[in-house]
Amino acid sequence: MIYVSTGGFRGRPADAVAAELLSAGVKSIELSGCEYSETLLEDLRLLVPELEFQLHNYFPPPADPFVLNLGSLDKQVGERSIAHVEQAIQWCVELGTSRYSFHAGFLLDPKVDELGRRIPARSLFNRDESIEAFISRVSQLAEIAERAGVALMIENNVLSANNAKEFASNPLLMCDPEESQNIMRRLPDSVTQLIDVAHLKVSANSLGFKPESMFDVCSERITGYHLSDNNGLEDSNKPFADDAWFWRYLKPDVGYYSVEVYDCAPEVLVQQVDLVHSKLQKISQSL
């Protein structure tokens, strides 16, 4: 299934964005970001007969914004992050969805307005301790999700060129294939990976590894993809083209592909969905 992310439609509740995408012919939507609304769950339920939803990361949007971080060593942030994921799992059940995906943890707790931008350098959590906290929390949540019939997927983080320079190190978890593999091996088999190809392109450039190595090293746990493109320096969620670098590395049969292209008209997003359909069909035929 090929989904379109609501993440690029800022300042609007997700049900309004979903209705607009539906009117353009989109039937599968990944709910991500958007604005808080007291009636959001009820409003989305009304669209379930016409749409298939999946939930991603900072969804449902809370009334009081915060940065979801399952790797935080701050007790309050950790507890709030667990509560957010538990609520997301419950919304999956309410909306009849089968997956919830979220970002790997951070070695710091960014402010809401720092996400997607240069984060000023500050002291970091101990990497090993943050990894242990992340694994413990995800394992706990995996049991809850499995009982609810919901699959959890972890998305690789993106280390921009600016943040790599600012910190002179990597303040994020699961940007590279080796750490991703090591963490995934310690998590329940029910937890899989969502590979964001745009995140991968940027992180590979910042950390000096070949992006295609992620697909090889982590192959058996990859069950979905986020698709967009960029200049290799920052995650800008630009449209992808027929000759994009990542096509040859995608599995054609995982069942979860999300067009995470921002600041485009719905008609452009439909064209992106059509391109994904075409490319996946060609990949299947070549196997």
Side-chain angles (χ1 to χ4, degrees):
M1 189 70 71
I2 302 171
Y3 300 86
V4 171
S5 171
T6 62
F9 293 83
R10 301 173 183 85
R12 299 170 60 190
D15 62 294
V17 175
E20 181 180 351
L21 291 172
L22 175 62
S23 67
V26 176
K27 297 294 183 69
S28 303
I29 294 175
E30 181 187 75
L31 298 168
S32 178
C34 292
E35 291 297 299
Y36 170 78
S37 166
E38 288 186 2
T39 61
L40 184 56
L41 180 57
E42 179 182 344
D43 294 335
L44 288 171
R45 275 204 199 100
L46 297 176
L47 295 169
V48 167
E50 298 180 90
L51 291 169
E52 178 171 338
F53 292 122
Q54 299 294 350
L55 272 65
H56 176 62
N57 203 51
Y58 200 55
F59 197 94
D64 181 19
F66 79 110
V67 176
L68 172 66
N69 183 10
L70 290 170
S72 178
L73 297 186
D74 180 290
K75 182 179 180 181
Q76 184 176 7
V77 174
E79 291 177 351
R80 193 171 182 192
S81 295
I82 290 172
H84 173 86
V85 176
E86 288 178 337
Q87 182 184 32
I89 292 169
Q90 183 57 42
W91 277 46
C92 286
V93 174
E94 297 280 351
L95 295 173
T97 72
S98 59
R99 301 178 182 90
Y100 172 67
S101 54
F102 54 92
H103 293 179
F106 315 133
L107 303 186
L108 72 163
D109 288 315
K111 299 176 182 177
V112 172
D113 61 3
E114 290 176 334
L115 291 182
R117 303 178 182 180
R118 182 185 67 82
I119 302 174
R122 65 195 70 164
S123 60
L124 301 177
F125 303 138
N126 177 275
R127 191 171 206 89
D128 290 339
E129 292 179 11
S130 186
I131 288 174
E132 292 303 319
F134 182 73
I135 290 172
S136 175
R137 289 167 181 153
V138 174
S139 297
Q140 172 188 337
L141 291 165
E143 293 182 9
I144 296 170
E146 194 164 7
R147 288 196 298 269
V150 176
L152 298 183
M153 305 168 71
I154 303 175
E155 180 181 0
N156 54 307
N157 272 321
V158 55
L159 179 64
S160 69
N162 282 337
N163 284 329
K165 182 178 180 181
E166 182 73 18
F167 285 89
S169 63
N170 181 8
L172 312 171
L173 299 183
M174 295 180 70
C175 292
D176 65 89
E178 287 74 22
E179 183 171 82
S180 296
Q181 182 187 57
N182 290 338
I183 289 176
M184 292 304 299
R185 282 176 171 171
R186 297 181 58 196
L187 290 171
D189 291 342
S190 60
V191 181
T192 60
Q193 282 182 269
L194 171 68
I195 298 299
D196 186 310
V197 300
H199 286 188
L200 179 56
K201 181 178 181 179
V202 174
S203 294
N205 186 51
S206 297
L207 294 172
F209 66 88
K210 294 181 179 180
E212 59 267 28
S213 64
M214 180 75 84
F215 300 104
D216 181 41
V217 171
C218 299
S219 177
E220 57 184 55
R221 298 293 285 271
I222 297 173
T223 60
Y225 304 94
H226 270 179
L227 306 177
S228 66
D229 213 341
N230 55 56
N231 62 4
L233 300 177
E234 62 179 353
D235 182 32
S236 53
N237 296 94
K238 297 296 184 183
F240 43 83
D242 181 76
D243 62 351
W245 70 276
F246 54 79
W247 294 119
R248 71 181 70 180
Y249 305 110
L250 301 189
K251 297 178 183 179
D253 57 354
V254 297
Y256 193 105
Y257 309 84
S258 178
V259 174
E260 200 182 33
V261 172
Y262 290 1
D263 301 320
C264 287
E267 293 74 20
V268 175
L269 297 175
V270 170
Q271 292 172 3
Q272 295 274 275
V273 169
D274 290 343
L275 178 56
V276 178
H277 271 298
S278 174
K279 299 298 288 191
L280 293 177
Q281 186 174 38
K282 290 179 181 177
I283 295 170
S284 295
Q285 291 172 349
S286 67
L287 296 178

